Amino acid sequence: MALNLNKDLKLYYSIKEVAEMFGLNESTLRYWETEFPYLRPKTAGPNKVRQYSKKDIEQVQLIYNMVKVRGFKLAAAKRVINANRNGADRKAEVLTRLVGVKEELQALKRELDGLQ
């Protein structure tokens, strides 16, 4: 059996790690948990440490795209997500891909400008 190097072995991420992934404050994530009922990371231990799964991180990404990237207010983001959950997920995925393509194009442009 071959070793799969692409497999992500980590099941849970701390609130600090998730906040760093998105460039957010931990308090912002805690607030979003109160506003979006489907964002409920697991809590463990006597200190109730938050543990975000891959699914929780996908929820954070959806909220992040709606609020930070597209500029929705929290109430509007909740309405859009609740009204069309699958459509909102799909739009967030497309938006993430477009941002990646934009970054690649900008890098290519910088390389081409450097050749002249």
Side-chain angles (χ1 to χ4, degrees), residues 31-32 34-38 66-67 72-84:
Y31 181 69
W32 285 358
T34 64
E35 292 294 311
F36 296 91
Y38 47 83
M66 297 290 287
V67 175
F72 281 67
K73 301 282 187 210
L74 285 181
K78 281 195 284 190
R79 278 195 306 272
V80 169
I81 292 170
N82 290 335
N84 187 2

Side-chain angles (χ1 to χ4, degrees), residues 14-43:
S14 70
I15 191 169
K16 182 177 182 176
E17 291 172 316
V18 175
E20 287 174 359
M21 284 179 199
F22 294 97
L24 298 170
N25 294 322
E26 294 173 27
S27 59
T28 301
L29 288 174
R30 285 189 214 98
Y31 181 69
W32 285 358
E33 290 172 21
T34 64
E35 292 294 311
F36 296 91
Y38 47 83
L39 179 60
R40 292 283 179 247
K42 176 182 166 185
T43 54

